[in-house]
Amino acid sequence: MNLKVLLPTEVLIDEEVRKVTAEAENGFFCLLPRHIDFATALIPGLLSFEDSEGRETFVAVDEGVLVKCGQSVLVSTRSGAKGGELGELKRIVEEQFMVLDEKEKTARTAMSKIEAGFVRRFLEVQRRG
């Protein structure tokens, strides 16, 4: 099977795999090459796959959608991180969340300034008019 994990800005994974394991709201599931075509919503957690040489790789994914159609498995998610060992993956995910938290704080500050400016200008127009 060919596994593609798509993020909004990049293709995180595009490789041949033997099996894929992921988690939906009703629990974990495993896809093998002859599995029936399948679509499901993923919850934030781990996705794992076994490559053509039998090595298992873990990927942390945010909520998203998984579609298996024929020999293709497509996963679309807002964010994800690929790591070899679980300890390494945990470190990568923590770093990414820290960066996201900082970006979110910056965006919230900018929105607060825009809102305050809008209210100030609205009050000025109201006083004049």
Side-chain angles (χ1 to χ4, degrees), residues 61-85:
V61 294
D62 198 353
E63 56 190 17
V65 176
L66 178 144
V67 176
K68 181 191 182 291
C69 184
Q71 292 299 304
S72 295
V73 179
L74 300 171
V75 175
S76 178
T77 181
R78 283 188 296 177
S79 60
K82 179 180 175 182
E85 297 178 8

Side-chain angles (χ1 to χ4, degrees), residues 4-22:
K4 268 190 186 178
V5 178
L6 308 169
L7 304 180
T9 58
E10 67 179 299
V11 176
L12 183 64
I13 295 168
D14 185 4
E15 60 185 86
E16 291 297 315
V17 299
R18 290 184 185 173
K19 77 175 184 178
V20 176
T21 305

Side-chain angles (χ1 to χ4, degrees), residues 88-104:
E88 176 189 355
L89 185 58
K90 180 180 184 236
R91 181 188 54 76
I92 292 169
V93 169
E94 286 172 348
E95 288 174 4
Q96 282 187 353
F97 279 120
M98 280 190 253
V99 169
L100 288 175
D101 286 345
E102 288 302 314
K103 287 182 181 179
E104 190 174 298

